[in-house]
Amino acid sequence: MEQYPVPARPLVEAMTNAAADDPDRAVAFQGAPGANSHLAAIELFPEGLPLPCFDFADAIDAVKDGRAGVAVIPIENSLHGRVADIHFLLPESGLVITGEHFLSIRHALMGTGRLEEVTQAMSHPQALGQCRHWLRAHGISQASYPDTAGAAAHVAALGDPAVAALAPPGAAKLYGLELMATDIADADHNTTRFVVLARGNRQPSGDGPWMTTLIFEVKNVPAALYKALGGFATNGVNMTKLESYQRGGSFAATEFYADVDGRPGEPGLDRALEELGFHAKWLRVLGTYRQARTRG
């Protein structure tokens, strides 16, 4: 609780207590009340009990420990790309992806004074990156903070008119700040994709289209990735996302995160996964879930 700015603590405490009384309905999210992750949690689970967590690891731990039924975690943004650390936290969590959600992002500048007085904007690095052109045009420097709404609460506690926050517009009302500018992202399509994480090996039900998320590590040999992915081409499986990242500082073992259309049990995807498993050092499916937005 002490990690949050003072203006946010009463809200965090009330929401934490409500979630503790009914953990199955609790929806863990990263950030202070009013953050974009809070908004995504409400849209996905309108009957749920949002549970604020200071960082991504805390939100994941809340599900692992049984303090929340699910967690809603941002994974990528249309303007700023991958959300830092999440590709490392997901495989280690032991949780499975059971759903996805796309949230249209609206950034507002808010503070205790007037726009002309602001010299610094505080927010999550993703939000700052999504508004960097607007901030530069107004001569406003950037300062990182763990989440957007937490930055708004911190600015309210500071009371310095030269320091403002970038956060969803609703955070201004929660923390008693003045809205100085709204919709200031560098593109209108600014959207963040969230995933839902839960315990256990849940099998998807209902109608598709389906998405399967997986991670794998290729062997350190020539054409390893080409061979590993060949089965998706020959079996007509569409891969909508492929990202590489390094782990352990060796710069030799490359791991990949991928999203593919379909679900295990479909002959084409099963054959593609079998071929990938043959050419990869290891392969792990993180989840199969209904697509919230059809790709292609």
Side-chain angles (χ1 to χ4, degrees):
M1 192 74 66
E2 289 72 21
Q3 293 173 298
Y4 288 97
V6 172
R9 292 178 190 175
L11 293 171
V12 172
E13 183 176 14
M15 295 168 73
T16 300
N17 290 339
D21 290 338
D22 194 353
D24 289 341
R25 290 176 56 207
V27 183
F29 69 91
Q30 185 271 331
N36 284 306
S37 293
H38 184 192
L39 302 181
I42 293 172
E43 288 188 6
L44 266 168
F45 301 98
E47 302 301 320
L49 298 171
L51 173 62
C53 300
F54 190 73
D55 57 28
F56 293 129
D58 290 340
I60 289 171
D61 285 344
V63 180
K64 292 170 64 176
D65 298 342
R67 291 180 286 115
V70 296
V72 175
I73 302 292
I75 193 165
E76 60 186 325
N77 176 265
S78 61
L79 282 179
H80 209 56
R82 171 193 332 185
V83 175
D85 295 336
I86 202 62
H87 287 61
F88 298 104
L89 291 171
L90 270 177
E92 298 168 355
S93 70
L95 303 179
V96 295
I97 303 175
T98 61
E100 67 174 357
H101 182 68
F102 292 86
L103 179 70
S104 180
I105 303 298
R106 295 184 60 218
H107 289 306
L109 189 73
M110 58 194 69
T112 58
R114 296 176 293 108
L115 177 60
E116 295 76 16
E117 300 175 278
V118 176
T119 60
Q120 184 182 79
M122 183 176 291
S123 194
H124 189 278
Q126 279 272 335
L128 294 170
Q130 293 159 22
C131 302
R132 61 186 181 275
H133 296 307
W134 190 94
L135 294 173
R136 188 180 301 118
H138 288 79
I140 299 174
S141 65
Q142 302 180 16
S144 295
Y145 198 83
D147 77 280
T148 54
H154 184 67
V155 165
L158 282 178
D160 183 350
V163 182
L166 272 178
K173 184 177 181 180
L174 282 178
Y175 302 115
L177 298 175
E178 295 294 328
L179 277 176
M180 300 171 177
T182 58
D183 295 321
I184 61 176
D186 294 331
D188 292 337
H189 63 69
N190 190 16
T191 302
T192 295
R193 178 188 175 213
F194 291 80
V195 292
V196 180
L197 303 180
R199 296 181 300 277
N201 187 20
R202 302 189 183 187
Q203 297 300 315
S205 60
D207 298 326
W210 301 103
M211 178 74 71
T212 295
T213 295
L214 53 103
I215 55 172
F216 61 94
E217 182 181 331
V218 295
K219 301 174 183 178
N220 195 15
V221 296
L225 183 61
Y226 175 81
K227 294 175 182 177
L229 298 184
F232 293 95
T234 56
N235 288 287
V237 177
N238 185 35
M239 181 171 287
T240 64
K241 182 180 181 66
L242 179 66
E243 285 193 350
S244 63
Y245 55 100
Q246 298 284 341
R247 184 191 296 270
S250 68
F251 295 98
T254 301
E255 298 181 13
F256 290 88
Y257 169 101
D259 290 332
V260 297
D261 285 342
R263 60 187 291 184
E266 296 174 355
L269 181 57
D270 283 349
R271 288 192 295 267
L273 291 176
E274 182 180 5
E275 188 165 342
L276 172 59
F278 179 79
H279 291 290
K281 292 178 67 175
W282 54 264
L283 162 67
R284 187 185 310 165
V285 174
L286 295 181
T288 297
Y289 46 94
R290 190 179 185 280
Q291 295 182 24
R293 178 181 294 179
T294 304
R295 291 4 179 228

